Amino acid sequence: MNTADETQILDAIGKWLERDVRPKAHELEKKDEYPESMVETMKELGLFGATIPQAYGGLGLPASTYAKIVAQISEVWMSLTGIFNSHLIMAAAVARYGTEEQKRRFLPKFASGEIRGGLALTEPDCGTDLQAIRTRAVRDGKDYVVNGTKTWISNGIKGSCFALLVKTDPNASPRHKGMTMFLAEKGKGFRVSKKLDKLGYKGIDSAELIFEDYRVPAQNLIGGEEGKGFHHAIGGLELGRINVAARGVGVANAALKDSVAYAQVRKTFGKPICEHQAIQLKLGEMATRCEAARLLVESAARAYDAGERCDMEAGMAKYFASEAALENSIEAVRIHGGYGYSTEFNVERYYRDAPLMCIGEGTNEMQRIIIARQLIARNPA
Ligand SMILES: Cc1cc2nc3c(=O)[nH]c(=O)nc-3n(C[C@H](O)[C@H](O)[C@H](O)COP(=O)(O)OP(=O)(O)OC[C@H]3O[C@@H](n4cnc5c(N)ncnc54)[C@H](O)[C@@H]3O)c2cc1C
């Protein structure tokens, strides 16, 4: 993608954010209301097909451009990115591992936003230890019959199709060989049991999904072969982590920008608080975190676009950028003093949104373990 094309896309999104999103985000967030009309514009902007290959109706954007878009939107309202992020990871599983028939059947509708959805991996008993899932699929003629529960599924209510990770052989050893991924479209036996209430990340629906004798056609088994589901789920994590890292950059930047503005207008002891050294130290650290996080995301996205293995790079970006968002958001609250604790200002939202990025797409505890393992593997003594 050349720079002019990238600038054009970022400009169009920037105009939409200022015109339609910034004025309404605060109110919708407070009401925890799904942003229906914003989703319509997101379809028009092509966001639901951002990383889907052009041959299947998407924009085919590289991860480096995509990460800039995610950061830009997150700077205004991070929740919006959740509506297309996990949807695009589902699409990437089809684009990478699906059969040609599955790509033709699903990708154009994913790209237009006609079918939207996400990833259904986590269960009430397990998230990090994905190989412990218990949702079961048993072959029956041309279908598989699925029973089990998934939780914390983003877009679980508004979405209609999910990349669903199940066990087809619960006794397999190693465990991952018994795991399979399906494209599960809502229908008889597939229901939403509840909407989950959250600290932040409002507006977007997180839900528990229940499968009771749900029949999914065998032709929806991604790649057509059982036993590859864990591989498919893990394969999406590099892009997923770049996603979350880019969200971290956006929230960290938002916290910085609001603080820089506020510190110049709020006066104590006869001068703006930005002239007090204690505040300057905070701003200096916040700005440095933003820049470091941005560069780590850029570097991980470049490696991803070059087709290089980048679990360590994506892990570093995800870990650092999400912690940067969390640290910057609490510093923004402190800089705003009592107003930082008020629901009238946006900084309390950043502070509620940021922890999610330390948990989702592999917790930050796991990221550091992954980074260390890769360090050892790449540098044998
Ligand atoms: C708002 C929100 C949206 C989400 N969206 C989705 C979605 O769309 N799809 C989906 O499938 N899931 C989704 N999730 C689930 C998310 O991916 C999991 O919460 C996450 O993977 C952590 O799993 P867990 O909650 O089961 O925590 P656990 O795995 O129980 O971990 C608990 C703690 O133990 C630590 N820990 C676990 N194992 C180890 C280890 N080996 N070494 C060191 N520390 C360890 C963890 O780091 C964590 O601190 C979402 C979660 C939230 C909150």
Side-chain angles (χ1 to χ4, degrees):
M1 151 139 310
N2 65 41
T3 323
D5 287 347
E6 185 181 275
T7 308
Q8 203 181 0
I9 291 174
L10 293 174
D11 277 354
I13 293 173
K15 284 191 183 116
W16 165 63
L17 288 171
E18 293 311 320
R19 188 188 62 229
D20 292 345
V21 180
R22 201 182 287 283
K24 295 187 197 130
H26 190 81
E27 190 193 343
L28 290 177
E29 204 268 344
K30 289 288 166 278
K31 291 188 189 155
D32 194 9
E33 190 176 314
Y34 191 76
E36 299 281 1
S37 73
M38 293 180 193
V39 170
E40 291 309 307
T41 316
M42 285 157 70
K43 286 184 191 169
E44 286 161 23
L45 288 165
L47 289 176
F48 292 101
T51 51
I52 293 176
Q54 288 179 347
Y56 299 99
L59 297 179
L61 298 179
S64 48
T65 305
Y66 178 57
K68 286 180 192 165
I69 292 174
V70 173
Q72 189 187 22
I73 297 175
S74 299
E75 206 175 300
V76 182
W77 190 14
M78 192 272 279
S79 292
L80 288 186
T81 63
I83 298 172
F84 61 94
N85 279 177
S86 60
H87 166 88
L88 286 171
I89 307 290
M90 164 177 73
V94 180
R96 272 182 161 190
Y97 309 113
T99 62
E100 191 51 43
E101 186 275 328
Q102 288 169 344
K103 291 181 200 179
R104 291 214 183 116
R105 186 151 52 100
F106 285 101
L107 291 179
K109 289 183 179 165
F110 288 172
S112 66
E114 181 186 339
I115 299 182
R116 300 196 309 278
L119 282 182
L121 315 178
T122 305
E123 298 188 359
D125 286 339
C126 66
T128 305
D129 182 10
L130 264 189
Q131 296 187 52
I133 60 165
R134 292 195 296 191
T135 297
R136 182 82 206 275
V138 178
R139 179 96 198 214
D140 181 28
K142 288 186 174 167
D143 298 333
Y144 281 79
V145 179
V146 181
N147 281 285
T149 303
K150 295 287 175 183
T151 195
W152 280 122
I153 309 309
S154 304
N155 305 314
I157 297 168
K158 296 290 179 176
S160 64
C161 180
F162 295 84
L164 173 68
L165 189 65
V166 301
K167 283 267 171 87
T168 35
D169 179 2
N171 301 317
S173 174
R175 294 181 297 170
H176 68 81
K177 290 205 165 157
M179 297 173 78
T180 301
M181 197 177 252
F182 288 92
L183 283 168
E185 293 184 274
K186 278 186 179 159
K188 192 164 169 271
F190 174 171
R191 69 182 169 89
V192 176
S193 61
K194 61 180 169 199
K195 179 180 174 190
L196 302 171
D197 274 337
K198 297 166 291 194
L199 173 67
Y201 199 44
K202 306 268 188 185
I204 174 172
D205 44 323
S206 305
E208 183 179 83
L209 307 178
I210 294 195
F211 299 87
E212 283 165 327
D213 292 333
Y214 164 68
R215 298 188 84 88
V216 57
Q219 61 178 7
N220 283 18
L221 192 167
I222 296 180
E225 202 186 327
E226 286 183 20
K228 305 267 190 218
F230 185 68
H231 174 64
H232 297 345
I234 295 297
L237 284 181
E238 287 176 348
L239 185 59
R241 285 176 187 157
I242 292 170
N243 255 337
V244 174
R247 290 188 198 180
V249 170
V251 173
N253 272 336
L256 172 68
K257 285 185 179 170
D258 287 11
S259 300
V260 167
Y262 186 78
Q264 294 173 71
V265 293
R266 179 71 176 176
K267 289 194 177 122
T268 65
F269 302 96
K271 55 183 175 185
I273 59 170
C274 66
E275 289 180 22
H276 298 307
Q277 201 176 47
I279 300 295
Q280 291 169 345
L281 294 177
K282 287 187 193 302
L283 294 177
E285 280 173 17
M286 289 166 78
T288 308
R289 275 187 214 114
C290 285
E291 186 63 2
R294 187 183 65 77
L295 291 169
L296 278 172
V297 173
E298 244 179 58
S299 147
R302 238 193 337 261
Y304 183 89
D305 289 336
E308 294 164 13
R309 177 171 183 167
C310 63
D311 47 356
M312 183 165 93
E313 292 73 9
M316 284 177 173
K318 193 270 181 188
Y319 164 55
F320 188 87
S322 57
E323 296 289 344
L326 190 58
E327 287 166 22
N328 277 13
S329 65
I330 183 65
E331 289 297 53
V333 169
R334 289 179 199 268
I335 290 169
H336 282 70
Y339 292 110
Y341 208 62
S342 156
T343 54
E344 274 178 41
F345 282 69
N346 286 331
V347 289
E348 63 87 33
R349 162 158 62 90
Y350 311 147
Y351 180 59
R352 288 184 288 105
D353 281 352
L356 170 63
M357 290 170 281
C358 301
I359 299 168
E361 294 290 337
T363 64
N364 280 2
E365 288 73 26
M366 292 311 296
Q367 297 312 314
R368 280 170 281 178
I369 292 168
I370 291 163
I371 294 164
R373 282 189 191 144
Q374 269 299 298
L375 265 183
I376 306 295
R378 293 186 196 185
N379 299 284

